[in-house]
Amino acid sequence: MPDHFLHITDLTADEIRAVFDLAATTKARFRARDDWRPLQGMTLAMIFAKPSARTRVSFETGFHRLGGHALYLGPGDIGIGQREAVQDIARVLSRYNDMIMARLFDHSHLLALAEHATVPVVNGLTDYNHPCQIMADMFTIGEQLARRSEVHIAYIGDGNNIVNSWLRLAARLPLRLALACPEGYRPDAETLALARAAGLSEISVTADPKEAVQGADIVYTDVWASMGQKDEAEARRRAFAGFTVTPELMAATGRESLFMHCLPAERGFEVTDEVMEAPYSIVFDQAENRMHVQNAIMLTLLGKG
Ligand code: CP
Ligand code: NVA
C-alpha cells in the first residue's frame, strides 16, 4: 500500500480488490453497530477549500465510528496556499494528526501536501480527480452486478475530475468505458493516453450520448459546471444541450441499465427528476458506500486493515 491515496493508480489492481473486500467488512460491521474502534485515540484533519456534503459527513462519521476524531477545517480556517504555504500546513498538521484528508482546487497543492506531510494524505477531490468517489462507485457496481470487470459504463457529460478518476480506474481494472462529451469538454488528453496505454480497458470518446449508451450496464453523469466553474454555468448549459440523461436515453441502452451520479445533482440539467427517482437509480447507494470504502482506505493506510 502506498503512503498516500491521491489517485486510483496509486494502488495496484490487487490493492484495489483488497480495499473492496475490506469495505464489505466495514460496511457489515457499521450496519451491525459493532463496537469496533481500531482508530481509537487517532485524529483526522480534514481540509476543505470547497463545499461538501457527502465527503465531509462520510469522512467525519466514518472516522468517528471507527473510534477516532475528525476535525473540519473549512475554507475560512486554513487558507491553503494563501494564508499559509502548503508545505508549512503539511508539517504543522502532521505534528498533531494521524492522517490528513484534503479537498482542494489545485491538484499540485495536494501533491505538495503529500510530499511534505509525515502522515498519510487522502484526496477528497481536486480540480483534477476524485478517487474516493470512483472507488466507492466501483464497489457499488460490484454489489449491484456481482462483477467488477468488463462492466460497460457510459459516462455522459463533462470530461472533468470524475472522468479522470474513471480513466485511472480503467488503467487498473478491465472496463468498457464509453465517454460522451461535447467538443471542447473532452477528457484530459494525458489521462486518456495513460488509461489507453495500460491496455486493459476498451475506451471510446464520442460527442453522441446515444452512441455511448448502447449496451451500457451503467449510465453515469455529473454536473456540467463543477465547483469553481459555476460562473460558466449558462454557457455550459448551451454547450451541453442534448446531454441530459432522460428516460429516453436510459431506454437507448437496449438493456436493464442502472443510473449513477456522484451527486450533488443539478436536477433538470444533466439528469431529469424522473431518472433520479427511477428504480434503476442507485445514486444513494453510491453515496452510502463512500463512507465504507473510505473507511477501508483509511484503515489500510494506517496499517489497521
Ligand atoms: N460526491 C461528493 O463528493 O459530494 P460532496 O461534494 O457533497 O462532498
Ligand atoms: N465534478 C464535480 C464533482 C462533485 C462531487 C465537482 O468537482 O464539483
Side-chain angles (χ1 to χ4, degrees), residues 48 50-58 103 124-125 130 132-133 137 162 220 222 227 261-264 286-287 290 294:
F48 282 93
K50 298 183 181 189
S52 170
R54 278 144 293 272
T55 303
R56 187 220 168 141
V57 177
S58 58
R103 164 167 289 196
L125 178 147
H130 198 5
C132 288
Q133 178 70 52
D137 294 341
I162 291 293
Y220 195 117
D222 184 17
M227 291 178 275
H261 191 312
C262 56
L263 304 180
Q286 290 175 256
R290 283 289 303 278
Q294 288 160 192

Side-chain angles (χ1 to χ4, degrees), residues 59-71:
F59 269 100
E60 189 166 333
T61 306
F63 207 83
H64 169 75
R65 286 283 298 271
L66 292 171
H69 175 75
L71 299 94

Side-chain angles (χ1 to χ4, degrees), residues 26-207:
T26 60
K27 181 170 182 174
R29 296 187 83 155
F30 183 92
R31 286 189 164 181
R33 295 201 77 90
D34 248 15
D35 189 16
W36 180 43
R37 301 173 195 224
L39 303 185
Q40 187 142 27
M42 292 190 156
T43 60
L44 168 71
M46 306 189 299
I47 308 173
F48 282 93
K50 298 183 181 189
S52 170
R54 278 144 293 272
T55 303
R56 187 220 168 141
V57 177
S58 58
F59 269 100
E60 189 166 333
T61 306
F63 207 83
H64 169 75
R65 286 283 298 271
L66 292 171
H69 175 75
L71 299 94
Y72 172 75
L73 302 162
D77 293 317
I78 280 198
I80 196 158
Q82 289 160 353
R83 180 171 180 267
E84 192 164 1
V86 181
Q87 62 268 36
D88 296 347
I89 289 177
R91 284 171 286 186
V92 170
L93 293 180
S94 298
R95 298 282 179 116
Y96 302 129
N97 301 111
D98 298 286
M99 180 173 270
I100 300 169
M101 189 283 296
R103 164 167 289 196
L104 306 176
F105 287 91
D106 190 335
H107 192 67
S108 70
H109 284 176
L110 184 81
L111 300 180
L113 193 63
E115 186 187 338
H116 295 281
T118 54
V119 297
V121 174
V122 177
N123 183 348
L125 178 147
T126 66
D127 287 348
Y128 174 67
N129 66 347
H130 198 5
C132 288
Q133 178 70 52
I134 293 342
M135 287 289 286
D137 294 341
M138 198 64 224
F139 176 77
T140 308
I141 290 170
E143 283 183 327
Q144 297 281 337
L145 302 183
R147 68 192 159 97
R148 290 199 187 97
S149 64
E150 310 298 336
V151 178
H152 179 167
I153 298 155
Y155 175 92
I156 311 300
D158 188 22
N160 60 14
N161 45 8
I162 291 293
V163 174
N164 288 335
S165 285
W166 273 117
L167 287 168
R168 282 178 177 263
L169 183 68
R172 288 290 179 268
L173 301 183
L175 301 175
R176 193 163 158 213
L177 201 54
L179 311 172
C181 313
E183 295 297 341
Y185 296 94
R186 293 201 161 204
D188 176 58
E190 266 182 43
T191 310
L192 188 59
L194 171 154
R196 284 186 166 143
L200 269 183
S201 296
E202 199 184 312
I203 302 167
S204 60
V205 185
T206 171

